[in-house]
Amino acid sequence: MGEHALRVIALAAIATLLWRAVRPPVASGVDVVRGDLQRALTRWTLSPATDMRVVLDAAPDPPTRDWLRALARAGGAFRWSSSRPIGAAAVVAEPAAEPNGVTRVRLASANGEAVSVGDDAGTIDTLPRGGAREMELGAIAGAVRASGATFTATSDPRDSVLLRPVLVLGAAGWESKFTIAALEERGWRVASRVRVAPKIDVTQGLLGSIDTARYAAVIVLDSTAGPSSQEITRYARAGGGVILGGSASRGGAFVGIAPGRVGARIAGVAGAVASAAPRTGLGGFPVSSPGADAVVLESRDGVAMIAARRLDAGRVMQVGYDETWRWRMAGGDESAAAHREWWSRLVGAVAYAPLVPRGPGVRSIDETPLASLVAALGPPTPLDAGLVAHGDNARITWMLFIFVAACLIAEWASRRLRGAR
Amino acid sequence: MNVRARFPIPDSLFPMSGEFVFATAQYESGDWDSAPLVPANLIDSVARYTSLPIAPTGAIVALASDDLFRFPLVYLTGHLPVRFTDAERTNVRRFADRGGMLFVDDHNHDIDGAFHKTAVEELTRAVGPLSQLPNTHPIYSAFFKFPDGPPNTSHELNGWGDNLVHSHLLAAMRGDRVAVLYSNKDYSSEWGYHPDNKRFLSIDNTKFGVNIIVYALTR
Amino acid sequence: MQPLDRVIRTRRALAATIAARAVLGGVATVLLTAAVLTAALRRSGVTTSSVVWLVAGLAGATALALLVRAWSRLTVPGVALWIEERVPALQYALVTAVDPAGAGPGAPFLEREIERVVWDREASRAMVRGLRWPVLAALGGLTAFLMSLRVGVGAAVERDRATPSVTATAARDVPAPFARLVATVRSPAYAGGQEVRVESPASIAALVGSTVVLEAPGSSDGVTAYVGDRSITVQHVGTTWRTTVTVESRPTVVRLRHASAERLVALEPRSDSVPVVRLLAPARDTVVRTPRGELRLSAEAHDDIGLATVAFEYIVSSGEGESFHFRSGTLGMRRVDSGRELRIDASLSLDRLGLKPGDMVHLRAVAHDRNNVSGPGAGASETRVLRVARAGEYDSIAVEGAPPPEADKSLISQRMLIMLTEALEKRRPTLAHETLLSESRQIARDETRLRKRVSDIIFQRLGDNPTGEEGREPDEVLPADSASPVVDSTRRDSVRRAAARAGRTPREIAATDSADSARAALLRAASTATGRGDEILDFAGDETPVVAINRPLLEAYNAMWEASRELDQGETGRALPPMRRALAAIQRARQAERIYLRGKAPAVVVDLARVRLTGKEHGAASTRLPRPPTDPAAARRAARLAAAIELASRSPAAAIDSMVLLRVESADAAPQLAAALGDALAAMRSGREATGLLVRARRIAEGTLRASGQLSGWSGVW
């Protein structure tokens, strides 16, 4: 029975090979290319064809795409099709507004195919089913590449950011101490004024007027900065970044610029600072009634804890947590590093950080392969049977041949082993 | 004197967010509670001279308990030998690494006394070597000015203990930050009186305590 | 089917079986040969190459040819004979039937005989059995080959921390002048001085203080050596050049240079751990009522290299309040000549310690190791505390944070009482008599409490009831009638005795009398000591031990009595002199032994609203200095690693050197990264796939990969 089955399978494969050999060709006069485009492009460049068809199984690289576009516009009919769906993807790498040269990479890919993100030094991350991803990477070698089965998107951070110090205002206490410490340990330059007694402050750095020439961001931790509210408002409108922490907005000094109102204080979940969701263990003042232009960045049990908004040229963030220092002290062994990273991201998300172009010598980028292909060559044409069948797809032929041979050898071996002829 | 870890300190005892709570360390091996009036006296002083929000009573926290990390400044004193358990030693190390500050005062005011020898040994094991803190360190100018370094105590001047005036404090550092401040000047006796009795003093001898607290809160 | 046809069918099956055996045997030979050659070559630092497969293939082909020779014996009579051997029941009928010469009239008979015997199954089983060993051999060969791939390149087996471990590098990757470099590593003398010699070293992990000698054949001309930035001497010895370096406490790289060639050898210090000590007995803290007998002590110590001494240490603390003194000592010390583990036992005589109620003994075991390079390491066990219970005390195993008792008040010092009295005396002219009396009596009550404290101390030393103080309770309120007579101490005694006798048994009276006698004796002793007494003195001349020891306190006690009396009457001016005498006496007592007569203080709740910003002095603004970044080199390390990985595709040797340097520099600041780089370097040197390891190292260098699974409406990752 098994030998019969093997014979039938071998015969079917032979029939397939025969059919592939005798199927009708495409219309005459049409030059169809699939697979390796280089030889065809060279041929078309030297001897232009009147009707050029290209079947792509992946988005070509920018030089090939440009070449195709040039040929398409040189006269003659040009159409392209894809033998399989080419994934729509986009990747962009830009410097983050944080110290130590952090690069932010944003990626989006449709189609559900696996995407590998890496650079010249190798793979950084993989997305098994595509989708969206935002990453922040410490160091990039060369360009960032997002590769799927049908595309390779590349991007390169072309600019650097100019970061100025951060100004921290508040009363002396654990929150101001550890917030300043976290930012400094993370590499930020910090200027600060913390109130110890009436007219007695502990200061750091050069404290001048609050403007974007001096500070990348201003962090207001409590109501002690109320007298400077107007100056801070002007600063935000001019492009500065402001973070209103904890109870800073309670006194009403910043109600005009805050993304929302200050809700009644809620307690943290006992013991949760050492868990995988440490901020659930922190108490704070929720952002209640966020404005229409507010973007809620973090919420907990349906209550917004962090929200941000754009204010003219600047950005204002309202952070409800008022004792983030507990996370650093009472969290796990990595809590100090996590606390640092978190504060640095908060500041980076609002900081005034003008971009400085790096200059010439940037690598070739191709941030949206499919979109660029369509923009260059127009939309694809449907793939008809002739195009599918055309071309010596030697690999399939060889696979079928090996399959036939394997079936026949197996059938022979089975017969011989049982002693039959 | 065999002290077990206290029950977890409930949040309801210290509900006000943002206020400073003066914490006294409770440890297994000695008389950790030998200076019960120091917390109230320093709380009173901080309230008199600063506008810092502060809790009206102190807290007692076991050195081996996770509650230690709720109080980034902790005061430790005693007369008897100090021998940390493994849990206490681990906690003290983590506490210092994460940014906490431990203020240790020898209530005997001795060099080569049992408290001094054992406390220095245990602290060295836990957080690293203790070295002399220069008398120009910022802690001496954090709020009040002490140009000559740590103020002397009446017990030193009266010939208590080893009959010496100790001119320096010791410290274990984390970077440029004091993680452990060690004194054998017996500030525990100097500050161990009811705060109401300050009215009898022409000079408030607790001002250096204010410096320690302001330093811890701002550096 | 005819017998001949059946034999021919069996012959075909046998042929297939022989072919299968030959193939399996050939495969097994190939795999086993490749396994042996791969292991041998990798061990000597050469990566596997195509030569291995060529040799293995030849061996396999030879085996196959040999095994397949059996085909030539597959004649029909031969097969029939093979069947007959396995099925004796055929009785050679089959051989005869298939023999052309043996055919004839007997053929039908032979066929019937043959038909009676079922021999096909037996033949099949025999063929399957014939395949068993070749299959096992093939599987064994596959296993051996897979295991040979795991053989490291030139790694010394690390038996213990004292033995250095050296990683070698592939010879073909080494520039010519250093191709035959040999490292001889000797551990420090205290660790046994073991020597390890390895060719072509890449990294050396050894104890701090180990000596490393690097040498190679050739002249020393043009050869330079550096440790970090420091140049070290290169000597010419015989036909080789040699340089010696000592392993320091920090990781370093030895750079060997000759013309344009450079060779790096990483030195990784292995630290000597301190001994680990465990106190076995006593197993827990103890409270004893009577400190008698022997306390059994037992401990065990373990060190990674070798122990030097193990002993028990104790500290005896005596005293209370703020007056303590201490004694310490060691016992049971054992010196260790060799060995890493030791158990010691001893016993501590509690009688000889002379412990008293309230004393504490802190016990622990301490061990030192033999490290004489960076100093002997000392390890200590947990401490056990033995406490002697005070008289009348019950054991307490928990300290509760109880709220302060309502009726309790803080006792203030004698000095404070004097100041209060002086202040009251100053205000006397302006105060109403009732007010003056009320405040004066308040001070009197405080004075009485303090006096009670003094008597507690004195009575404790007598071993007597510490509450033997007579007189009214501190909170007892005097009648408002200020003219009420104040009974002096002696007469009060008489009154109390009389009141006590009423309605009591003789035994109770005797007990009360005894207590009263003790109190009376105290008063008399105080009077004698101070020279201020009354006529009740029972003895004079020789002082009692009570007096001798407590003279200053007795003086203070008496003076406080007097002061309380005056204060009760509102005579603040007349109270001051005895109060001052009491203070002087207390000072004298304190100088002899520290006694702080303040009493137990309750928790105090500060009235913040009342005191806020009432301080007479003002602080000053100050400046804070910025903290440096936690790890300023982290970003640089990540960038260097990314550059090194990028370089690997173009120049593997240069990339390896870069990573070696990065690994050494990261050993202190980023040990995780150093370990990850070590794994990646080991894979790269041995020719294994290192991509995954490099990705892992890169992730560690960059820190947490911040990523979110969606694009937010705000820049930044949440």
Side-chain angles (χ1 to χ4, degrees), chain A residues 342-356:
Chain A
W342 185 79
W343 264 109
S344 183
R345 270 187 288 142
L346 287 184
V347 175
V350 299
Y352 171 71
L355 293 173
V356 176

mmCIF file of all heavy atoms in Angstrom, chain A residues 342-356:
data_model
loop_
_atom_site.group_PDB
_atom_site.id
_atom_site.type_symbol
_atom_site.label_atom_id
_atom_site.label_comp_id
_atom_site.label_asym_id
_atom_site.label_seq_id
_atom_site.Cartn_x
_atom_site.Cartn_y
_atom_site.Cartn_z
ATOM 1 N N TRP A 342 12.977 56.508 34.319
ATOM 2 C CA TRP A 342 11.616 57.040 34.217
ATOM 3 C C TRP A 342 11.627 58.549 34.281
ATOM 4 O O TRP A 342 11.007 59.228 33.450
ATOM 5 C CB TRP A 342 10.774 56.447 35.353
ATOM 6 C CG TRP A 342 9.325 56.802 35.326
ATOM 7 C CD1 TRP A 342 8.349 56.264 34.541
ATOM 8 C CD2 TRP A 342 8.671 57.753 36.156
ATOM 9 N NE1 TRP A 342 7.133 56.824 34.826
ATOM 10 C CE2 TRP A 342 7.291 57.752 35.828
ATOM 11 C CE3 TRP A 342 9.095 58.622 37.166
ATOM 12 C CZ2 TRP A 342 6.362 58.562 36.457
ATOM 13 C CZ3 TRP A 342 8.167 59.429 37.785
ATOM 14 C CH2 TRP A 342 6.814 59.401 37.423
ATOM 15 N N TRP A 343 12.329 59.116 35.220
ATOM 16 C CA TRP A 343 12.377 60.579 35.310
ATOM 17 C C TRP A 343 13.038 61.179 34.070
ATOM 18 O O TRP A 343 12.624 62.222 33.567
ATOM 19 C CB TRP A 343 13.111 61.023 36.583
ATOM 20 C CG TRP A 343 12.170 61.312 37.706
ATOM 21 C CD1 TRP A 343 11.979 60.586 38.835
ATOM 22 C CD2 TRP A 343 11.253 62.415 37.798
ATOM 23 N NE1 TRP A 343 11.015 61.154 39.623
ATOM 24 C CE2 TRP A 343 10.547 62.282 39.017
ATOM 25 C CE3 TRP A 343 10.961 63.497 36.972
ATOM 26 C CZ2 TRP A 343 9.578 63.190 39.431
ATOM 27 C CZ3 TRP A 343 9.997 64.397 37.383
ATOM 28 C CH2 TRP A 343 9.307 64.242 38.598
ATOM 29 N N SER A 344 14.071 60.511 33.581
ATOM 30 C CA SER A 344 14.744 61.019 32.402
ATOM 31 C C SER A 344 13.804 61.020 31.198
ATOM 32 O O SER A 344 13.792 61.948 30.387
ATOM 33 C CB SER A 344 15.979 60.157 32.112
ATOM 34 O OG SER A 344 16.698 60.663 31.015
ATOM 35 N N ARG A 345 12.978 59.995 31.094
ATOM 36 C CA ARG A 345 12.019 59.951 29.986
ATOM 37 C C ARG A 345 10.970 61.029 30.121
ATOM 38 O O ARG A 345 10.547 61.628 29.131
ATOM 39 C CB ARG A 345 11.348 58.580 29.939
ATOM 40 C CG ARG A 345 12.074 57.597 29.081
ATOM 41 C CD ARG A 345 11.308 56.327 28.937
ATOM 42 N NE ARG A 345 11.321 55.558 30.142
ATOM 43 C CZ ARG A 345 10.278 54.866 30.598
ATOM 44 N NH1 ARG A 345 9.138 54.883 29.962
ATOM 45 N NH2 ARG A 345 10.371 54.169 31.705
ATOM 46 N N LEU A 346 10.518 61.230 31.338
ATOM 47 C CA LEU A 346 9.524 62.293 31.548
ATOM 48 C C LEU A 346 10.071 63.626 31.051
ATOM 49 O O LEU A 346 9.409 64.360 30.319
ATOM 50 C CB LEU A 346 9.178 62.410 33.029
ATOM 51 C CG LEU A 346 8.313 61.337 33.674
ATOM 52 C CD1 LEU A 346 8.008 61.716 35.118
ATOM 53 C CD2 LEU A 346 7.033 61.138 32.916
ATOM 54 N N VAL A 347 11.284 63.916 31.471
ATOM 55 C CA VAL A 347 11.865 65.200 31.076
ATOM 56 C C VAL A 347 12.097 65.224 29.570
ATOM 57 O O VAL A 347 11.824 66.212 28.889
ATOM 58 C CB VAL A 347 13.181 65.445 31.856
ATOM 59 C CG1 VAL A 347 13.856 66.714 31.367
ATOM 60 C CG2 VAL A 347 12.904 65.551 33.346
ATOM 61 N N GLY A 348 12.593 64.109 29.038
ATOM 62 C CA GLY A 348 12.838 64.047 27.599
ATOM 63 C C GLY A 348 11.583 64.224 26.778
ATOM 64 O O GLY A 348 11.633 64.683 25.642
ATOM 65 N N ALA A 349 10.447 63.852 27.357
ATOM 66 C CA ALA A 349 9.195 63.948 26.614
ATOM 67 C C ALA A 349 8.694 65.375 26.496
ATOM 68 O O ALA A 349 7.832 65.650 25.673
ATOM 69 C CB ALA A 349 8.135 63.085 27.298
ATOM 70 N N VAL A 350 9.201 66.288 27.317
ATOM 71 C CA VAL A 350 8.736 67.681 27.221
ATOM 72 C C VAL A 350 9.874 68.654 26.949
ATOM 73 O O VAL A 350 9.628 69.815 26.652
ATOM 74 C CB VAL A 350 8.001 68.131 28.509
ATOM 75 C CG1 VAL A 350 6.778 67.281 28.768
ATOM 76 C CG2 VAL A 350 8.935 68.111 29.707
ATOM 77 N N ALA A 351 11.103 68.195 27.025
ATOM 78 C CA ALA A 351 12.233 69.128 27.027
ATOM 79 C C ALA A 351 12.314 69.925 25.732
ATOM 80 O O ALA A 351 12.040 69.428 24.644
ATOM 81 C CB ALA A 351 13.530 68.361 27.261
ATOM 82 N N TYR A 352 12.736 71.127 25.898
ATOM 83 C CA TYR A 352 13.064 71.960 24.751
ATOM 84 C C TYR A 352 14.449 71.536 24.304
ATOM 85 O O TYR A 352 15.437 71.731 25.018
ATOM 86 C CB TYR A 352 13.049 73.441 25.165
ATOM 87 C CG TYR A 352 13.577 74.356 24.100
ATOM 88 C CD1 TYR A 352 12.849 74.591 22.937
ATOM 89 C CD2 TYR A 352 14.802 74.991 24.252
ATOM 90 C CE1 TYR A 352 13.337 75.438 21.959
ATOM 91 C CE2 TYR A 352 15.296 75.835 23.282
ATOM 92 C CZ TYR A 352 14.555 76.056 22.133
ATOM 93 O OH TYR A 352 15.047 76.891 21.163
ATOM 94 N N ALA A 353 14.528 70.928 23.131
ATOM 95 C CA ALA A 353 15.790 70.354 22.666
ATOM 96 C C ALA A 353 15.939 70.622 21.184
ATOM 97 O O ALA A 353 15.552 69.794 20.353
ATOM 98 C CB ALA A 353 15.817 68.852 22.945
ATOM 99 N N PRO A 354 16.482 71.768 20.811
ATOM 100 C CA PRO A 354 16.624 72.064 19.382
ATOM 101 C C PRO A 354 17.566 71.082 18.723
ATOM 102 O O PRO A 354 18.536 70.615 19.318
ATOM 103 C CB PRO A 354 17.207 73.483 19.376
ATOM 104 C CG PRO A 354 17.768 73.692 20.736
ATOM 105 C CD PRO A 354 16.997 72.834 21.666
ATOM 106 N N LEU A 355 17.216 70.757 17.466
ATOM 107 C CA LEU A 355 18.016 69.801 16.715
ATOM 108 C C LEU A 355 19.167 70.508 16.010
ATOM 109 O O LEU A 355 19.017 71.628 15.505
ATOM 110 C CB LEU A 355 17.158 69.088 15.669
ATOM 111 C CG LEU A 355 16.086 68.157 16.231
ATOM 112 C CD1 LEU A 355 15.196 67.644 15.107
ATOM 113 C CD2 LEU A 355 16.716 66.993 16.966
ATOM 114 N N VAL A 356 20.275 69.834 15.965
ATOM 115 C CA VAL A 356 21.445 70.348 15.267
ATOM 116 C C VAL A 356 21.808 69.333 14.188
ATOM 117 O O VAL A 356 22.090 68.172 14.502
ATOM 118 C CB VAL A 356 22.628 70.515 16.245
ATOM 119 C CG1 VAL A 356 23.876 70.963 15.496
ATOM 120 C CG2 VAL A 356 22.268 71.495 17.344
#
